[in-house]
Amino acid sequence: MKQIYNRHRIADEVYFTSITDKKFKVNSITVNFITEMTHNAAENAVLDRMLTKCCEKYDTMAKLNRRLSELYSAGLNYSVISYDDYQVCSLSANVLDNRYALEGEDILRETADILLGCIFAPYLENGAFPEQSLDIEKQNQIDDNDSEINDKTRYAHFKALETGFTGEPAALRWGGTNEEVGAVTAKTAMNAYRRMISETRAEIICVGESSFDGLDKVFADAFSKLERRVKPLPESKISPLKNEVARVNENLDIEQSKLVMLYKTELRKPYPLIVMKGLYGGTESSKLFLNVREKMSLCYYCYAGLLYGKGTVNVECGVAPENIGKTEKECANQLGEIVKGNFTDEELEFAKLYIINSYRSMNDTVSGIGGKCLTSILTPELDVDVEERVRGIAAVTREEIIEAAASLKLDTVFTLMPGEKEADE
Amino acid sequence: MKKEVLTSSRLGESCTRIKHDSGLTVCLYPMKGFSSAFAIFGTRYGSVDTTFKTNEDADLITVPEGIAHYLEHKLFEGEECNAFENFAKTGAYSNAFTSFDSTAYHFSCSDRFTENLHTLLDFVQHPFFTDENVQKEQGIIAQEIKIYLDDPGWRVFFNGLGAVYHNNPVRIDIAGTVESIAQINKELLYRCYKTFYNLNNMTLAIAGNFDPDEALAVCDEMLEPSKDIGLRTVVPDEPREVKEKRVTQKLYCALPLFQLAFKMPELTGRECVRQYMIWNILLDTALGSFSPFYSKFYDEGLINDTFSASVFKGRGFFLPIVGGDSRDPDRICEEVKKELTRLKKDGLPRADFDIVKKMTYGDLVGGFNSVGSVAKGMMNADFGGIGVFDGLDIAAEVTYDDVMDALCGLDAENSSLSVIEPLER
């Protein structure tokens, strides 16, 4: 079955994409508001939460959730992420396909209407968001920020990025700081709302069994009622290499240490970097997995990631405290092996096959397709068509891998170690 | 070979369940339009299976905790190469997991399916343990155990199980303890492997893009017939009452985490699934996102989006659990108990019960939307003694009176509260 992909502009800096694939039993509609990461991040994050709690038509959380439940457990969700130098605030609705509605109801259209209502007709009191709800969502955002510590792997990752991208938008927290969240008022939340719907680039992505006929017009009508004044989204910049490697250690009363190393590159070739990352530490046949984890048993997890838009490769390990130095050295050594060309054609082929398999598998989930579309919009060098991406991966040469590995320079090393809480920079 | 076609009129789909001559149950669910296939090969062997007996044993045997998980780690390592390397040759993604009552190995691929199935059936049936490779794994598993010692979400759960159960091994961490894994050697691994990896105790489930005839041909070629050894596992006798009413620990986290678990007797087969549906419908009606309870305490800031109520079930345990983050875990748990007691007297709102039934239907249909969830669903259903579509029918048959009967039988005081309190940062 073929996927039908269609993206078109429906208003000033508003784009509507629909991907129809008859194999799915559910449909998803996501409205992504994309803005440069700034100190407004906290207002946007709190607002995103507020908008999924109620709306003019369903003016309490209970009424809204009740109606969504009646629609066979339709979901209405918010998400706030940082992507390169951007903050992406998303509101999404997921619902079963109409053919599974037991009484023939048009559950897709009604769920879409609820999503539209939440975005364009929020529940207000005297023209402002109710103070009590705002206070609850501010507190929830602060709790979410603080809960980063619950997952030490994630905590170490973000702490490393904070150091690695110092002074850049990408160093800011996706949900703002607690102080910024605390300072949000009914007035600033309303300003953030106006900014979001009138001044922010929007990408609406619909995926599922439905053809989503007419939904573009419904969204176009809603946006046409606003006076849109959108500044073009600034280009995300790659992160410059520091003059000397930044080393930061933090101590916490924990059992296992974490090591995060950030390498920077100025190379702007996505596919060679993706394959090199796979060969180095992105698969179960990679150098880091097979050597550092399996052969040397230095750590429980050890992998490499790529933040292409920031020109950064992150290496992350969970390691016994006494092995931290040895692990850092060995991770660097494995990269050096690639630079020297010490990898077989077979290893290269395996990395490519793994990536190709994961690209093709993306087409088998609604969230995979939605994520792929958004990524290719934010990183235009990455094709939206999976087979185009597959061709890009397949064409990468040994020389390009060596070039990509050689372009990496160590920029930041963050360690989380057991001990009395203290930060040492 | 005994073949049976399972059909769902609700979904308009069917799959095949086969009792292969080798003793293995094979479930096949081709899914039109999908690019990838997902295969999972599992055994009814989890962390709770520490005491057992076969026809060949005179007495019950008790082994140290953590062997099922240790085996999972070691099976990937063959005499000639690591199974990961074989999967890597085709680009397949492979992994494994151990739960309380099962262990499973799986792969997903968009190409060369039969080759990968060959690899899966080969490595799971051919263990290769040496003193050296068993010893080497101890360090890696100890690191894995330590990761979870720092994880508040994991600890609140296991501390809670430890408070509910006196003797049931579900109270012990799936990976065992650093001390118990130190007792594991090559001989114990082989002993447990031969007992639990008997094909009569196992299921292979495949969903997605594959040819069933080709899959069966690989099964015919690769499966080595197993004699039924009359395996019997024993769950130690468990007193009716919980072991402790309240347990607490301090860890780094933003807000206190809590888990309130209501002790109930174990259930098996179809009745276990029926009670699972009944209790989930009960908890969603009483405490779910549109209940008066949820709104009241969300608005008071006592619960947030992390609040959930669901049933934790498996071979030898059945436990309705309410949990999440809260500033005042003791108060919210008292309120939960009060609300359930009130509803026993006043009755659950009938209209809300009807809505939750629709929700349940929507959630269950949504579970058939990806190759991975379908394959895992088939294996779990088979382990539970039902067919993959039976859950839909069982849920549809649940009546209001069933739910009220369950609620009236609840002894809300026979429960344990586990709390993780934030460590000063």
Side-chain angles (χ1 to χ4, degrees), chain A residues 25 53 66 73 78 100 137 139 143 152 255-256 294 357 364, chain B residues 13 35-36 110 136 143 147 150 298 305 327 352 361 363 369:
Chain A
K25 295 182 173 68
K53 295 295 181 279
R66 186 184 183 86
S73 196
Y78 66 87
Y100 297 105
E137 297 313 328
Q139 188 57 54
D143 292 340
K152 311 300 176 288
E255 296 278 341
Q256 188 189 62
E294 292 289 295
N357 180 54
D364 280 353
Chain B
E13 293 183 5
S35 315
S36 58
S110 53
K136 192 200 77 175
Q143 282 301 312
I147 285 186
D150 293 330
Y298 189 96
D305 291 337
R327 298 202 138 62
D352 293 4
Y361 164 81
D363 290 339
N369 203 44

PDB file of all heavy atoms in Angstrom, chain A residues 25 53 66 73 78 100 137 139 143 152 255-256 294 357 364, chain B residues 13 35-36 110 136 143 147 150 298 305 327 352 361 363 369:
ATOM      1  N   LYS A  25      -5.004   1.782  12.029  1.00  0.00           N
ATOM      2  CA  LYS A  25      -6.336   1.750  12.649  1.00  0.00           C
ATOM      3  C   LYS A  25      -6.615   3.050  13.401  1.00  0.00           C
ATOM      4  O   LYS A  25      -7.671   3.199  14.001  1.00  0.00           O
ATOM      5  CB  LYS A  25      -6.425   0.571  13.628  1.00  0.00           C
ATOM      6  CG  LYS A  25      -6.321  -0.785  12.939  1.00  0.00           C
ATOM      7  CD  LYS A  25      -6.452  -1.928  13.914  1.00  0.00           C
ATOM      8  CE  LYS A  25      -6.511  -3.269  13.205  1.00  0.00           C
ATOM      9  NZ  LYS A  25      -5.253  -3.653  12.548  1.00  0.00           N
ATOM     10  N   LYS A  53      -6.018  21.314  28.628  1.00  0.00           N
ATOM     11  CA  LYS A  53      -6.780  20.983  29.828  1.00  0.00           C
ATOM     12  C   LYS A  53      -8.273  21.295  29.688  1.00  0.00           C
ATOM     13  O   LYS A  53      -9.101  20.634  30.296  1.00  0.00           O
ATOM     14  CB  LYS A  53      -6.210  21.722  31.052  1.00  0.00           C
ATOM     15  CG  LYS A  53      -4.789  21.276  31.402  1.00  0.00           C
ATOM     16  CD  LYS A  53      -4.742  19.823  31.835  1.00  0.00           C
ATOM     17  CE  LYS A  53      -3.383  19.312  32.219  1.00  0.00           C
ATOM     18  NZ  LYS A  53      -2.507  18.922  31.145  1.00  0.00           N
ATOM     19  N   ARG A  66     -13.961  13.702  29.589  1.00  0.00           N
ATOM     20  CA  ARG A  66     -15.136  12.833  29.447  1.00  0.00           C
ATOM     21  C   ARG A  66     -15.505  12.692  27.969  1.00  0.00           C
ATOM     22  O   ARG A  66     -15.743  11.601  27.477  1.00  0.00           O
ATOM     23  CB  ARG A  66     -16.289  13.457  30.236  1.00  0.00           C
ATOM     24  CG  ARG A  66     -17.526  12.610  30.319  1.00  0.00           C
ATOM     25  CD  ARG A  66     -18.623  13.389  31.048  1.00  0.00           C
ATOM     26  NE  ARG A  66     -19.786  12.556  31.203  1.00  0.00           N
ATOM     27  CZ  ARG A  66     -19.969  11.704  32.208  1.00  0.00           C
ATOM     28  NH1 ARG A  66     -19.077  11.610  33.147  1.00  0.00           N
ATOM     29  NH2 ARG A  66     -21.050  10.960  32.264  1.00  0.00           N
ATOM     30  N   SER A  73     -11.633   6.716  23.701  1.00  0.00           N
ATOM     31  CA  SER A  73     -10.324   6.985  24.278  1.00  0.00           C
ATOM     32  C   SER A  73      -9.441   7.814  23.349  1.00  0.00           C
ATOM     33  O   SER A  73      -8.247   7.558  23.217  1.00  0.00           O
ATOM     34  CB  SER A  73      -9.632   5.657  24.622  1.00  0.00           C
ATOM     35  OG  SER A  73      -8.564   5.871  25.493  1.00  0.00           O
ATOM     36  N   TYR A  78      -0.020  17.339  24.890  1.00  0.00           N
ATOM     37  CA  TYR A  78       0.914  18.428  24.605  1.00  0.00           C
ATOM     38  C   TYR A  78       2.325  17.869  24.655  1.00  0.00           C
ATOM     39  O   TYR A  78       2.580  16.847  25.295  1.00  0.00           O
ATOM     40  CB  TYR A  78       0.763  19.574  25.621  1.00  0.00           C
ATOM     41  CG  TYR A  78       1.169  19.166  27.009  1.00  0.00           C
ATOM     42  CD1 TYR A  78       2.503  19.265  27.425  1.00  0.00           C
ATOM     43  CD2 TYR A  78       0.251  18.634  27.895  1.00  0.00           C
ATOM     44  CE1 TYR A  78       2.883  18.849  28.684  1.00  0.00           C
ATOM     45  CE2 TYR A  78       0.618  18.215  29.151  1.00  0.00           C
ATOM     46  CZ  TYR A  78       1.932  18.324  29.537  1.00  0.00           C
ATOM     47  OH  TYR A  78       2.312  17.895  30.785  1.00  0.00           O
ATOM     48  N   TYR A 100     -13.946   1.895  12.986  1.00  0.00           N
ATOM     49  CA  TYR A 100     -14.082   1.105  14.220  1.00  0.00           C
ATOM     50  C   TYR A 100     -15.090   1.700  15.199  1.00  0.00           C
ATOM     51  O   TYR A 100     -15.300   1.160  16.275  1.00  0.00           O
ATOM     52  CB  TYR A 100     -12.719   0.945  14.904  1.00  0.00           C
ATOM     53  CG  TYR A 100     -11.760   0.177  14.028  1.00  0.00           C
ATOM     54  CD1 TYR A 100     -10.730   0.824  13.362  1.00  0.00           C
ATOM     55  CD2 TYR A 100     -11.921  -1.193  13.832  1.00  0.00           C
ATOM     56  CE1 TYR A 100      -9.877   0.123  12.526  1.00  0.00           C
ATOM     57  CE2 TYR A 100     -11.083  -1.901  12.989  1.00  0.00           C
ATOM     58  CZ  TYR A 100     -10.058  -1.229  12.340  1.00  0.00           C
ATOM     59  OH  TYR A 100      -9.228  -1.925  11.505  1.00  0.00           O
ATOM     60  N   GLU A 137      -0.638  24.683  36.507  1.00  0.00           N
ATOM     61  CA  GLU A 137       0.233  24.268  35.399  1.00  0.00           C
ATOM     62  C   GLU A 137       1.660  24.816  35.544  1.00  0.00           C
ATOM     63  O   GLU A 137       2.619  24.180  35.118  1.00  0.00           O
ATOM     64  CB  GLU A 137      -0.375  24.661  34.047  1.00  0.00           C
ATOM     65  CG  GLU A 137      -1.703  23.971  33.747  1.00  0.00           C
ATOM     66  CD  GLU A 137      -1.713  22.464  34.005  1.00  0.00           C
ATOM     67  OE1 GLU A 137      -0.662  21.807  33.841  1.00  0.00           O
ATOM     68  OE2 GLU A 137      -2.772  21.941  34.397  1.00  0.00           O
ATOM     69  N   GLN A 139       3.119  25.152  38.449  1.00  0.00           N
ATOM     70  CA  GLN A 139       3.733  24.232  39.416  1.00  0.00           C
ATOM     71  C   GLN A 139       4.086  22.900  38.747  1.00  0.00           C
ATOM     72  O   GLN A 139       5.157  22.338  38.983  1.00  0.00           O
ATOM     73  CB  GLN A 139       2.781  24.001  40.592  1.00  0.00           C
ATOM     74  CG  GLN A 139       3.415  23.220  41.735  1.00  0.00           C
ATOM     75  CD  GLN A 139       4.675  23.888  42.279  1.00  0.00           C
ATOM     76  OE1 GLN A 139       4.661  25.060  42.658  1.00  0.00           O
ATOM     77  NE2 GLN A 139       5.797  23.170  42.270  1.00  0.00           N
ATOM     78  N   ASP A 143       7.710  21.177  38.522  1.00  0.00           N
ATOM     79  CA  ASP A 143       7.942  19.794  38.954  1.00  0.00           C
ATOM     80  C   ASP A 143       8.565  18.979  37.824  1.00  0.00           C
ATOM     81  O   ASP A 143       9.437  18.135  38.062  1.00  0.00           O
ATOM     82  CB  ASP A 143       6.629  19.142  39.407  1.00  0.00           C
ATOM     83  CG  ASP A 143       6.087  19.776  40.688  1.00  0.00           C
ATOM     84  OD1 ASP A 143       6.883  20.419  41.397  1.00  0.00           O
ATOM     85  OD2 ASP A 143       4.887  19.635  40.956  1.00  0.00           O
ATOM     86  N   LYS A 152      18.873   9.613  35.723  1.00  0.00           N
ATOM     87  CA  LYS A 152      20.239  10.154  35.755  1.00  0.00           C
ATOM     88  C   LYS A 152      20.884  10.200  34.357  1.00  0.00           C
ATOM     89  O   LYS A 152      21.722  11.054  34.085  1.00  0.00           O
ATOM     90  CB  LYS A 152      21.127   9.340  36.700  1.00  0.00           C
ATOM     91  CG  LYS A 152      20.541   9.075  38.087  1.00  0.00           C
ATOM     92  CD  LYS A 152      20.247  10.321  38.865  1.00  0.00           C
ATOM     93  CE  LYS A 152      19.581  10.044  40.199  1.00  0.00           C
ATOM     94  NZ  LYS A 152      18.183   9.590  40.177  1.00  0.00           N
ATOM     95  N   GLU A 255      24.742   5.381  42.638  1.00  0.00           N
ATOM     96  CA  GLU A 255      25.498   4.130  42.576  1.00  0.00           C
ATOM     97  C   GLU A 255      26.376   4.071  41.333  1.00  0.00           C
ATOM     98  O   GLU A 255      27.463   3.526  41.347  1.00  0.00           O
ATOM     99  CB  GLU A 255      24.521   2.944  42.539  1.00  0.00           C
ATOM    100  CG  GLU A 255      23.675   2.793  43.781  1.00  0.00           C
ATOM    101  CD  GLU A 255      24.408   2.071  44.900  1.00  0.00           C
ATOM    102  OE1 GLU A 255      25.403   1.390  44.614  1.00  0.00           O
ATOM    103  OE2 GLU A 255      23.987   2.210  46.063  1.00  0.00           O
ATOM    104  N   GLN A 256      25.839   4.580  40.202  1.00  0.00           N
ATOM    105  CA  GLN A 256      26.551   4.415  38.939  1.00  0.00           C
ATOM    106  C   GLN A 256      26.932   5.765  38.330  1.00  0.00           C
ATOM    107  O   GLN A 256      26.132   6.691  38.321  1.00  0.00           O
ATOM    108  CB  GLN A 256      25.657   3.667  37.944  1.00  0.00           C
ATOM    109  CG  GLN A 256      26.394   3.280  36.686  1.00  0.00           C
ATOM    110  CD  GLN A 256      25.455   2.746  35.625  1.00  0.00           C
ATOM    111  OE1 GLN A 256      24.576   3.437  35.147  1.00  0.00           O
ATOM    112  NE2 GLN A 256      25.662   1.493  35.268  1.00  0.00           N
ATOM    113  N   GLU A 294      30.913  -4.869  25.208  1.00  0.00           N
ATOM    114  CA  GLU A 294      30.945  -6.332  25.183  1.00  0.00           C
ATOM    115  C   GLU A 294      32.343  -6.901  25.495  1.00  0.00           C
ATOM    116  O   GLU A 294      32.498  -7.676  26.428  1.00  0.00           O
ATOM    117  CB  GLU A 294      30.469  -6.842  23.825  1.00  0.00           C
ATOM    118  CG  GLU A 294      29.001  -6.591  23.568  1.00  0.00           C
ATOM    119  CD  GLU A 294      28.081  -7.462  24.419  1.00  0.00           C
ATOM    120  OE1 GLU A 294      28.106  -8.679  24.243  1.00  0.00           O
ATOM    121  OE2 GLU A 294      27.355  -6.903  25.270  1.00  0.00           O
ATOM    122  N   ASN A 357      17.192  -0.197   7.686  1.00  0.00           N
ATOM    123  CA  ASN A 357      16.083  -0.926   8.313  1.00  0.00           C
ATOM    124  C   ASN A 357      15.275  -0.011   9.232  1.00  0.00           C
ATOM    125  O   ASN A 357      14.042  -0.018   9.219  1.00  0.00           O
ATOM    126  CB  ASN A 357      16.648  -2.112   9.104  1.00  0.00           C
ATOM    127  CG  ASN A 357      15.559  -2.909   9.776  1.00  0.00           C
ATOM    128  OD1 ASN A 357      14.619  -3.349   9.130  1.00  0.00           O
ATOM    129  ND2 ASN A 357      15.653  -3.069  11.088  1.00  0.00           N
ATOM    130  N   ASP A 364       6.052   2.305   9.547  1.00  0.00           N
ATOM    131  CA  ASP A 364       5.084   1.353  10.098  1.00  0.00           C
ATOM    132  C   ASP A 364       4.394   1.838  11.358  1.00  0.00           C
ATOM    133  O   ASP A 364       3.619   1.095  11.958  1.00  0.00           O
ATOM    134  CB  ASP A 364       5.768   0.001  10.371  1.00  0.00           C
ATOM    135  CG  ASP A 364       5.898  -0.810   9.093  1.00  0.00           C
ATOM    136  OD1 ASP A 364       5.350  -0.382   8.059  1.00  0.00           O
ATOM    137  OD2 ASP A 364       6.548  -1.865   9.120  1.00  0.00           O
TER     138      ASP A 364
ATOM    139  N   GLU B  13     -10.126  -9.215  11.181  1.00  0.00           N
ATOM    140  CA  GLU B  13      -8.792  -9.758  10.926  1.00  0.00           C
ATOM    141  C   GLU B  13      -8.672 -11.149  11.530  1.00  0.00           C
ATOM    142  O   GLU B  13      -9.468 -11.548  12.386  1.00  0.00           O
ATOM    143  CB  GLU B  13      -7.726  -8.824  11.519  1.00  0.00           C
ATOM    144  CG  GLU B  13      -7.694  -7.486  10.795  1.00  0.00           C
ATOM    145  CD  GLU B  13      -6.603  -6.546  11.286  1.00  0.00           C
ATOM    146  OE1 GLU B  13      -5.780  -6.937  12.135  1.00  0.00           O
ATOM    147  OE2 GLU B  13      -6.601  -5.396  10.807  1.00  0.00           O
ATOM    148  N   SER B  35       5.853  -2.525   6.210  1.00  0.00           N
ATOM    149  CA  SER B  35       7.161  -2.760   5.587  1.00  0.00           C
ATOM    150  C   SER B  35       7.974  -3.752   6.394  1.00  0.00           C
ATOM    151  O   SER B  35       8.851  -4.419   5.876  1.00  0.00           O
ATOM    152  CB  SER B  35       7.991  -1.475   5.530  1.00  0.00           C
ATOM    153  OG  SER B  35       7.231  -0.418   5.098  1.00  0.00           O
ATOM    154  N   SER B  36       7.724  -3.790   7.690  1.00  0.00           N
ATOM    155  CA  SER B  36       8.593  -4.594   8.543  1.00  0.00           C
ATOM    156  C   SER B  36       7.844  -5.773   9.161  1.00  0.00           C
ATOM    157  O   SER B  36       6.612  -5.806   9.196  1.00  0.00           O
ATOM    158  CB  SER B  36       9.182  -3.721   9.652  1.00  0.00           C
ATOM    159  OG  SER B  36       8.149  -3.147  10.400  1.00  0.00           O
ATOM    160  N   SER B 110      13.076  -5.123   7.877  1.00  0.00           N
ATOM    161  CA  SER B 110      12.287  -4.791   6.701  1.00  0.00           C
ATOM    162  C   SER B 110      12.798  -5.582   5.492  1.00  0.00           C
ATOM    163  O   SER B 110      12.370  -5.346   4.374  1.00  0.00           O
ATOM    164  CB  SER B 110      12.340  -3.286   6.438  1.00  0.00           C
ATOM    165  OG  SER B 110      13.681  -2.863   6.372  1.00  0.00           O
ATOM    166  N   LYS B 136      32.403 -13.023  33.164  1.00  0.00           N
ATOM    167  CA  LYS B 136      32.523 -11.692  32.554  1.00  0.00           C
ATOM    168  C   LYS B 136      31.204 -10.906  32.619  1.00  0.00           C
ATOM    169  O   LYS B 136      31.194  -9.696  32.804  1.00  0.00           O
ATOM    170  CB  LYS B 136      32.955 -11.855  31.088  1.00  0.00           C
ATOM    171  CG  LYS B 136      33.396 -10.588  30.424  1.00  0.00           C
ATOM    172  CD  LYS B 136      33.352 -10.690  28.919  1.00  0.00           C
ATOM    173  CE  LYS B 136      31.927 -10.563  28.415  1.00  0.00           C
ATOM    174  NZ  LYS B 136      31.795 -10.535  26.959  1.00  0.00           N
ATOM    175  N   GLN B 143      26.270  -3.686  36.976  1.00  0.00           N
ATOM    176  CA  GLN B 143      26.083  -2.290  36.565  1.00  0.00           C
ATOM    177  C   GLN B 143      24.617  -2.003  36.273  1.00  0.00           C
ATOM    178  O   GLN B 143      24.091  -0.948  36.625  1.00  0.00           O
ATOM    179  CB  GLN B 143      26.913  -1.997  35.303  1.00  0.00           C
ATOM    180  CG  GLN B 143      28.393  -1.781  35.548  1.00  0.00           C
ATOM    181  CD  GLN B 143      28.630  -0.616  36.486  1.00  0.00           C
ATOM    182  OE1 GLN B 143      28.074   0.457  36.313  1.00  0.00           O
ATOM    183  NE2 GLN B 143      29.461  -0.828  37.484  1.00  0.00           N
ATOM    184  N   ILE B 147      22.099   0.756  38.059  1.00  0.00           N
ATOM    185  CA  ILE B 147      21.342   1.828  37.390  1.00  0.00           C
ATOM    186  C   ILE B 147      19.994   1.976  38.079  1.00  0.00           C
ATOM    187  O   ILE B 147      19.534   3.069  38.380  1.00  0.00           O
ATOM    188  CB  ILE B 147      21.078   1.489  35.904  1.00  0.00           C
ATOM    189  CG1 ILE B 147      22.343   1.659  35.070  1.00  0.00           C
ATOM    190  CG2 ILE B 147      19.974   2.375  35.327  1.00  0.00           C
ATOM    191  CD1 ILE B 147      22.104   1.483  33.578  1.00  0.00           C
ATOM    192  N   ASP B 150      19.397   3.716  41.512  1.00  0.00           N
ATOM    193  CA  ASP B 150      19.311   5.176  41.517  1.00  0.00           C
ATOM    194  C   ASP B 150      17.986   5.692  40.950  1.00  0.00           C
ATOM    195  O   ASP B 150      17.790   6.895  40.851  1.00  0.00           O
ATOM    196  CB  ASP B 150      20.444   5.766  40.646  1.00  0.00           C
ATOM    197  CG  ASP B 150      21.822   5.519  41.235  1.00  0.00           C
ATOM    198  OD1 ASP B 150      21.921   5.436  42.464  1.00  0.00           O
ATOM    199  OD2 ASP B 150      22.789   5.406  40.456  1.00  0.00           O
ATOM    200  N   TYR B 298      -6.530  17.091  41.272  1.00  0.00           N
ATOM    201  CA  TYR B 298      -5.670  17.794  40.310  1.00  0.00           C
ATOM    202  C   TYR B 298      -5.770  19.297  40.590  1.00  0.00           C
ATOM    203  O   TYR B 298      -4.757  19.990  40.670  1.00  0.00           O
ATOM    204  CB  TYR B 298      -6.110  17.472  38.874  1.00  0.00           C
ATOM    205  CG  TYR B 298      -5.154  17.965  37.816  1.00  0.00           C
ATOM    206  CD1 TYR B 298      -4.180  17.126  37.273  1.00  0.00           C
ATOM    207  CD2 TYR B 298      -5.200  19.285  37.352  1.00  0.00           C
ATOM    208  CE1 TYR B 298      -3.287  17.580  36.304  1.00  0.00           C
ATOM    209  CE2 TYR B 298      -4.316  19.751  36.388  1.00  0.00           C
ATOM    210  CZ  TYR B 298      -3.367  18.887  35.867  1.00  0.00           C
ATOM    211  OH  TYR B 298      -2.478  19.342  34.907  1.00  0.00           O
ATOM    212  N   ASP B 305      -0.221  14.935  36.083  1.00  0.00           N
ATOM    213  CA  ASP B 305      -0.388  14.013  34.942  1.00  0.00           C
ATOM    214  C   ASP B 305       0.206  12.629  35.184  1.00  0.00           C
ATOM    215  O   ASP B 305      -0.059  11.698  34.429  1.00  0.00           O
ATOM    216  CB  ASP B 305       0.288  14.596  33.690  1.00  0.00           C
ATOM    217  CG  ASP B 305      -0.427  15.822  33.174  1.00  0.00           C
ATOM    218  OD1 ASP B 305      -1.617  15.958  33.478  1.00  0.00           O
ATOM    219  OD2 ASP B 305       0.201  16.629  32.476  1.00  0.00           O
ATOM    220  N   ARG B 327       2.690  15.802  46.371  1.00  0.00           N
ATOM    221  CA  ARG B 327       3.314  16.517  47.498  1.00  0.00           C
ATOM    222  C   ARG B 327       2.953  15.855  48.823  1.00  0.00           C
ATOM    223  O   ARG B 327       3.665  16.010  49.796  1.00  0.00           O
ATOM    224  CB  ARG B 327       2.824  17.976  47.545  1.00  0.00           C
ATOM    225  CG  ARG B 327       3.192  18.739  46.331  1.00  0.00           C
ATOM    226  CD  ARG B 327       3.214  20.232  46.522  1.00  0.00           C
ATOM    227  NE  ARG B 327       4.390  20.723  45.830  1.00  0.00           N
ATOM    228  CZ  ARG B 327       4.573  20.599  44.519  1.00  0.00           C
ATOM    229  NH1 ARG B 327       3.685  19.986  43.782  1.00  0.00           N
ATOM    230  NH2 ARG B 327       5.673  21.040  43.946  1.00  0.00           N
ATOM    231  N   ASP B 352     -20.779   6.709  33.594  1.00  0.00           N
ATOM    232  CA  ASP B 352     -19.312   6.740  33.511  1.00  0.00           C
ATOM    233  C   ASP B 352     -18.769   5.353  33.179  1.00  0.00           C
ATOM    234  O   ASP B 352     -17.809   5.207  32.422  1.00  0.00           O
ATOM    235  CB  ASP B 352     -18.707   7.229  34.828  1.00  0.00           C
ATOM    236  CG  ASP B 352     -19.037   8.696  35.092  1.00  0.00           C
ATOM    237  OD1 ASP B 352     -19.785   9.271  34.275  1.00  0.00           O
ATOM    238  OD2 ASP B 352     -18.557   9.253  36.087  1.00  0.00           O
ATOM    239  N   TYR B 361     -12.479  -0.379  24.804  1.00  0.00           N
ATOM    240  CA  TYR B 361     -12.552  -0.913  23.440  1.00  0.00           C
ATOM    241  C   TYR B 361     -11.551  -0.152  22.547  1.00  0.00           C
ATOM    242  O   TYR B 361     -10.783  -0.760  21.791  1.00  0.00           O
ATOM    243  CB  TYR B 361     -13.996  -0.771  22.927  1.00  0.00           C
ATOM    244  CG  TYR B 361     -14.136  -0.928  21.435  1.00  0.00           C
ATOM    245  CD1 TYR B 361     -14.184  -2.198  20.858  1.00  0.00           C
ATOM    246  CD2 TYR B 361     -14.232   0.181  20.593  1.00  0.00           C
ATOM    247  CE1 TYR B 361     -14.322  -2.345  19.474  1.00  0.00           C
ATOM    248  CE2 TYR B 361     -14.371   0.042  19.225  1.00  0.00           C
ATOM    249  CZ  TYR B 361     -14.405  -1.215  18.663  1.00  0.00           C
ATOM    250  OH  TYR B 361     -14.525  -1.359  17.310  1.00  0.00           O
ATOM    251  N   ASP B 363      -8.864   1.501  23.347  1.00  0.00           N
ATOM    252  CA  ASP B 363      -7.468   1.180  23.698  1.00  0.00           C
ATOM    253  C   ASP B 363      -7.077  -0.192  23.173  1.00  0.00           C
ATOM    254  O   ASP B 363      -5.959  -0.388  22.682  1.00  0.00           O
ATOM    255  CB  ASP B 363      -7.279   1.225  25.226  1.00  0.00           C
ATOM    256  CG  ASP B 363      -7.363   2.643  25.760  1.00  0.00           C
ATOM    257  OD1 ASP B 363      -7.169   3.587  24.977  1.00  0.00           O
ATOM    258  OD2 ASP B 363      -7.646   2.810  26.962  1.00  0.00           O
ATOM    259  N   ASN B 369      -2.243  -1.843  16.151  1.00  0.00           N
ATOM    260  CA  ASN B 369      -1.841  -0.864  15.144  1.00  0.00           C
ATOM    261  C   ASN B 369      -0.382  -0.958  14.737  1.00  0.00           C
ATOM    262  O   ASN B 369       0.051  -0.256  13.826  1.00  0.00           O
ATOM    263  CB  ASN B 369      -2.139   0.540  15.704  1.00  0.00           C
ATOM    264  CG  ASN B 369      -2.288   1.574  14.625  1.00  0.00           C
ATOM    265  OD1 ASN B 369      -2.937   1.330  13.620  1.00  0.00           O
ATOM    266  ND2 ASN B 369      -1.654   2.709  14.815  1.00  0.00           N
TER     267      ASN B 369
END
